[in-house]
Amino acid sequence: MKNHRFYQIAMASALVTSAIVIAPSATAASVFPDVNASTEEGKAIINLAGRGIISGYPDGTFKPANLITRSQAAKILAGILKLDTVHVKNPNFKDIKPGDENYGAIAALANAGIISGSNGYFYPTKNITRGQMSKMIVKGFHLPITNGVDIPFNDVKAGSEYEPYIKTLFANSITKGTTPTTFGPQSNVKRSQLASFVVRAENAQGNSTVYASQFNQDYIFASYGGIKPAEDIFTWDEDEEDYLTESITIKPLKEGTGKLVITGFEEDTQDLKDFFYLVHVKNVNGKLQTTLQEVNEGDYVENLPLNLSESGLNFVPTEVSIQTADGQALSPELYNFKSTNKTATLSIYKNGQYTLTFSNGTQQQTMVADVDTYDFVRSIDLYQITDELAFSNEDLSFEPTSVALEKLNFEPAAVKASIKENKVNVTPLAEGTSILHITGKNGETAYLYIEFLKIANKWATSYEFMDDQEEF
């Protein structure tokens, strides 16, 4: 079940922990002797070098452990942000002037409000720290500050200058820290670190993330909404064994809009709560970008037509009359009935319980319906009206000799079942669902899933046979 947020985050993370010199026209070696190509950092370095984004030293090495200066980091950030480094206004830093190395990049960042220096100085030759880099990235890529997330770093003080920027990078999976419990805000950034973050950022580019904490929930999980799930427009990663998580990253696949349901779970109360979104995927400057729009489910409901030829009716109806639970006729504007020689469909546009009478001129059958909305889809569940069911060998394909109730979610049995005159007789005890295990005299077996409800003050039922209990 399956959220992330920023188009430029990917690039941002690239810069969060380290710096690498951009080589505008260099063609780097495909392999550096001091780079382990089997590691994440090594793969990232080779990836970027092969694309001319970074380069090694004249001796053919990359020197991954070398640190990067504030001036070099400015050049990288300005390059990735595609800032104009020529037509710039002098920021009047006391330690950098026109003509100095990387002056254009530093001025462009200052003009854009991404850097401001300290007491009139930029300190271009000092090594940049991870804390400083976090601030530059968040401001450079205009990432919304994420304060509602807990970070595991015990070296990031609450209320410190870099805390909101580090939280934002962590919340968007741009950084993991130097260890599981430390970020190292005063540590310097290495060339290898920047390479891995750049690639991570590119892989995450355009994603959008949601967090359980923003809904005041302990955990969340995701589901596609709508009649046709937008599986070709966006996706998310999910643990097949444990889909409950504290955050979900939505990843774009192609342009379009789809529906998403985020369900929150509270451990103490065991309650579930749904939150509804439209997921917009657009191509922005050649990159897919995901935007999440929280909406009211009722404003975007789709009505799913019910195929009446598959609903338990004994004939194809040509007419239908619908009454509400209190016996009032439903307005024709609130439903749509279509009939042909071979099939008929019905849509009801208002949630509720109804009594429906179908006819074809010679036959008539009355059933009840429960109309509800789930994950942006309004659908009709149709039930037979009866307070007793009987199943013979014609229904089962064998002669039943015993019937047993299977446990279902540890709920008490909702029905009473017995064998009489070679038939399985079932009567309701309460509203709910049950699974019956039916056995024949020659060892045959079948499972019956059955549901009894009180709809419009009438007992109503729906059931289905299965050969294997696991099919439920």
Side-chain angles (χ1 to χ4, degrees):
M1 316 179 93
K2 305 180 176 190
N3 212 302
H4 262 18
R5 199 168 8 219
F6 313 103
Y7 160 69
Q8 290 178 312
I9 284 183
M11 284 304 204
S13 72
L15 300 174
V16 73
T17 50
S18 160
I20 295 177
V21 178
I22 293 178
S25 60
T27 302
S30 60
V31 176
F32 299 106
D34 57 347
V35 170
N36 183 348
S38 66
T39 65
E40 180 189 8
E41 290 184 347
K43 292 176 182 177
I45 291 168
I46 293 172
N47 179 334
L48 298 176
R51 293 153 54 190
I53 297 175
I54 61 173
S55 65
Y57 287 85
D59 64 359
T61 63
F62 182 76
K63 302 187 185 338
N66 276 14
L67 305 178
I68 192 166
T69 66
R70 289 169 54 84
S71 171
Q72 293 168 335
K75 181 178 181 181
I76 295 168
L77 187 56
I80 291 177
L81 295 177
K82 298 181 180 180
L83 299 181
D84 183 352
T85 60
V86 177
H87 305 93
V88 294
K89 179 181 177 181
N90 192 337
N92 295 315
F93 289 127
K94 298 176 182 178
D95 51 0
I96 191 80
K97 63 183 184 299
D100 288 349
E101 184 180 15
N102 299 329
Y103 164 81
I106 295 169
L109 291 175
N111 295 168
I114 298 169
I115 60 173
S116 58
S118 177
N119 298 318
Y121 292 88
F122 179 69
Y123 304 107
T125 59
K126 281 191 175 182
N127 293 327
I128 192 166
T129 66
R130 289 166 57 87
Q132 294 168 345
M133 183 63 75
S134 70
K135 184 176 181 179
M136 286 178 66
I137 290 173
V138 170
K139 297 188 72 173
F141 290 91
H142 306 289
L143 306 181
I145 295 296
T146 306
N147 281 319
V149 64
D150 294 327
I151 53 176
F153 309 131
N154 53 33
D155 58 351
V156 179
K157 295 182 179 179
S160 62
E161 177 184 3
Y162 300 121
E163 182 200 22
Y165 305 108
I166 294 168
K167 277 189 171 184
T168 299
L169 296 180
F170 178 79
N172 291 284
S173 301
I174 295 173
T175 184
K176 300 176 182 177
T178 53
T179 73
T181 58
T182 60
F183 177 77
Q186 301 304 318
S187 299
N188 295 320
V189 178
K190 298 178 182 179
R191 286 163 56 84
S192 60
Q193 292 172 333
L194 180 56
S196 62
F197 278 105
V198 168
V199 172
R200 264 187 223 160
E202 285 185 322
N203 291 338
Q205 197 166 27
N207 296 352
S208 189
T209 303
V210 291
Y211 309 91
S213 58
Q214 76 187 70
F215 305 111
N216 295 319
Q217 302 290 305
D218 295 312
Y219 299 99
I220 53 177
F221 62 89
S223 309
Y224 289 105
I227 294 175
K228 182 182 179 182
E231 296 175 336
D232 58 336
I233 295 176
F234 65 91
T235 187
W236 63 89
D237 293 329
E238 184 176 281
D239 189 320
E240 293 183 359
E241 296 183 0
D242 184 10
Y243 56 85
L244 292 175
T245 181
E246 295 181 355
S247 65
I248 297 171
T249 298
I250 303 301
K251 302 177 180 180
L253 298 176
K254 73 173 187 179
E255 284 193 292
T257 296
K259 294 173 180 176
L260 172 71
V261 182
I262 300 296
T263 301
F265 174 73
E266 290 189 33
E267 281 189 302
D268 291 342
T269 63
Q270 300 287 296
D271 287 341
L272 298 174
K273 186 176 182 180
D274 289 332
F275 304 89
F276 302 95
Y277 287 88
L278 295 183
V279 180
H280 305 286
V281 178
K282 296 182 179 179
N283 190 314
V284 180
N285 298 324
K287 302 288 186 179
L288 291 177
Q289 180 176 354
T290 304
T291 304
L292 300 183
Q293 175 190 358
E294 189 167 7
V295 297
N296 182 338
E297 181 190 27
D299 294 336
Y300 296 90
V301 167
E302 302 172 53
N303 293 287
L304 179 65
L306 176 65
N307 186 344
L308 295 172
S309 64
E310 300 174 355
S311 62
L313 279 169
N314 300 321
F315 55 90
V316 176
T318 57
E319 296 180 359
V320 63
S321 64
I322 304 176
Q323 290 184 320
T324 61
D326 59 3
Q328 300 298 311
L330 184 66
S331 169
E333 296 179 353
L334 294 177
Y335 68 91
N336 182 36
F337 175 73
K338 295 180 180 180
S339 179
T340 65
N341 291 333
K342 296 183 179 180
T343 187
T345 61
L346 175 66
S347 299
I348 298 178
Y349 305 141
K350 184 177 181 180
N351 292 357
Q353 295 181 337
Y354 303 91
T355 300
L356 298 84
T357 301
F358 300 99
S359 62
N360 65 356
T362 59
Q363 296 171 286
Q364 182 173 294
Q365 186 173 347
T366 299
M367 302 182 76
V368 290
D370 186 31
V371 181
D372 201 3
T373 300
Y374 182 78
D375 290 357
F376 289 100
V377 178
R378 179 181 288 116
S379 59
I380 304 171
D381 289 324
L382 206 57
Y383 299 86
Q384 296 183 30
I385 299 175
T386 183
D387 58 3
E388 184 177 12
L389 289 171
F391 302 98
S392 66
N393 59 351
E394 293 182 359
D395 302 299
L396 297 164
S397 299
F398 60 84
E399 183 179 317
T401 56
S402 66
V403 59
L405 286 164
E406 299 286 335
K407 283 190 176 181
L408 183 63
N409 298 330
F410 304 102
E411 296 179 357
V415 300
K416 178 181 179 181
S418 61
I419 303 291
K420 293 181 181 178
E421 299 178 354
N422 298 325
K423 293 181 179 180
V424 179
N425 293 277
V426 185
T427 56
L429 298 176
E431 290 188 298
T433 57
S434 299
I435 295 178
L436 303 181
H437 183 187
I438 305 169
T439 305
K441 65 179 182 180
N442 296 318
E444 304 95 335
T445 187
Y447 290 90
L448 173 64
Y449 177 92
I450 188 165
E451 178 182 15
F452 274 103
L453 296 174
K454 269 287 185 72
I455 298 179
N457 296 316
K458 302 177 180 70
W459 275 114
T461 185
S462 176
Y463 60 86
E464 184 175 5
F465 283 104
M466 295 290 182
D467 293 327
D468 190 337
Q469 184 180 10
E470 293 183 359
E471 294 184 46
F472 295 104

